[in-house]
């Protein structure tokens, strides 16, 4: 019977090694998505952000904090690009995953739920400002 701690440590070492090996690529993708977004090319930023997400999931696994952050940014970008329903759906799923990983009261779980409501209201045409 193998030691579960040793197995977990080997898995973490493998993920850390993968992140180090891909770090320049993921940084380049993140910067490119940011610059495209700032320049107003939201479609281009979405495309690059989806590539970034795929790379991070592959390297780190679906529940890694950087992956969850990338999903948050991608969902927000989707809404800014005019796909409010897609943003709402992405935030709804992210909120469920955040709760599963971090708990219901975790600050980013709560933020994801609020973002889901905001984008759902916009998608349904009844956005009400609470600011």
């Amino acid at each position: 019977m193998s030691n579960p701690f040793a197995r977990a440590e080997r898995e973490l070492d493998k993920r850390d090694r993968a992140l180090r090996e891909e770090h320049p690529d993921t940084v380049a993708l993140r910067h490119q998505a940011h610059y495209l977004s700032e320049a107003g090319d939201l479609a281009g930023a979405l495309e690059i952000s989806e590539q970034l997400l795929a790379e991070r999931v592959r390297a780190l696994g679906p529940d890694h904090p950087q992956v969850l952050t990338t999903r948050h940014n991608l969902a927000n970008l989707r809404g800014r690009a005019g796909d409010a329903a897609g943003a709402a759906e992405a935030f709804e799923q992210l909120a469920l995953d955040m709760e599963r990983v971090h708990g219901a009261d975790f600050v980013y779980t709560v933020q994801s739920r609020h973002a889901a409501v905001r984008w759902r209201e916009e998608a349904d045409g009844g956005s009400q400002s609470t600011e």
Side-chain angles (χ1 to χ4, degrees):
M1 180 176 219
S2 77
N3 179 342
F5 295 111
R7 188 175 55 232
E9 189 167 315
R10 282 192 306 276
E11 182 62 26
L12 287 173
D13 285 344
K14 183 175 91 175
R15 287 185 182 179
D16 287 346
R17 193 169 36 259
L19 180 60
R20 281 191 305 273
E21 291 170 2
E22 296 194 1
H23 181 68
D25 293 340
T26 56
V27 168
L29 286 172
R30 187 168 44 87
H31 287 168
Q32 188 177 4
H34 175 77
Y35 295 136
L36 289 170
S37 174
E38 290 296 311
D41 182 359
L42 299 179
L46 271 169
E47 183 179 331
I48 298 301
S49 294
E50 288 169 352
Q51 291 174 24
L52 175 62
L53 177 61
E55 284 297 314
R56 285 187 165 166
V57 167
R58 187 180 66 73
L60 303 170
D63 294 335
H64 190 279
Q66 286 183 336
V67 170
L68 297 172
T69 297
T70 302
R71 287 178 55 198
H72 175 94
N73 294 340
L74 183 58
N76 193 50
L77 187 58
R78 185 167 279 120
R80 288 179 47 221
D83 183 6
E89 191 174 306
F91 274 118
E92 289 162 357
Q93 185 59 53
L94 180 59
L96 293 172
D97 292 340
M98 284 285 199
E99 184 171 346
R100 178 179 50 77
V101 173
H102 297 293
D105 295 329
F106 185 64
V107 65
Y108 297 123
T109 303
V110 174
Q111 285 180 355
S112 295
R113 274 195 227 107
H114 287 297
V117 169
R118 176 191 177 278
W119 287 113
R120 182 60 61 203
E121 287 175 347
E122 187 165 324
D124 292 344
S127 180
Q128 298 175 358
S129 178
T130 58
E131 297 178 54

